[in-house]
Amino acid sequence: LAVVFFLALTVEWLSHCNILRPETASNRRGAAAAIGVMQTVLYAVRIGLAYLVMLAVMSFNAGVFLVAIAGHGVGFFLFGSRAFNKQNHSSGKTSDLPPMNC
């Protein structure tokens, strides 16, 4: 159950993180390509972890389901809500990765 909780927490962290700093990179194509590759790797890791949480929930175990919801909820509270958010939202960009919208 702890693993499922931390997987869900990690998915939320990756959904709201700003690891890459494009303003520090130069305007060369190589730097832009490197940032693009890193975004792709982060996106693949986030989607892979989200699928692992989904597979755990599909075990139809109520405890796993509740822990997955708790992990996503705590992750959003820590990384996505305004309670601990210290970023400046004037730029409009809140994450390195695109949102997980349907």
Side-chain angles (χ1 to χ4, degrees):
L1 293 177
V3 170
V4 173
F5 179 84
F6 286 113
L7 283 175
L9 188 81
T10 305
V11 168
E12 289 297 323
W13 175 68
L14 287 173
S15 296
H16 297 93
C17 70
N18 267 334
I19 297 172
L20 304 176
R21 302 283 182 232
E23 61 271 2
T24 60
S26 64
N27 293 332
R28 296 180 310 208
R29 286 186 182 168
I35 289 174
V37 169
M38 287 303 299
Q39 283 180 317
T40 303
V41 169
L42 285 173
Y43 179 79
V45 168
R46 180 183 73 178
I47 295 301
L49 292 176
Y51 279 135
L52 283 175
V53 172
M54 180 189 65
L55 285 173
V57 169
M58 288 176 58
S59 69
F60 297 106
N61 183 333
V64 171
F65 178 72
L66 292 174
V67 166
I69 290 174
H72 281 294
V74 169
F76 180 79
F77 179 70
L78 293 176
F79 307 116
S81 72
R82 294 183 183 181
F84 298 108
N85 198 353
K86 298 175 185 143
Q87 292 178 337
N88 183 5
H89 290 291
S90 63
S91 67
K93 186 174 185 234
T94 59
S95 175
D96 289 327
L97 303 177
M100 291 182 62
N101 295 340
C102 296

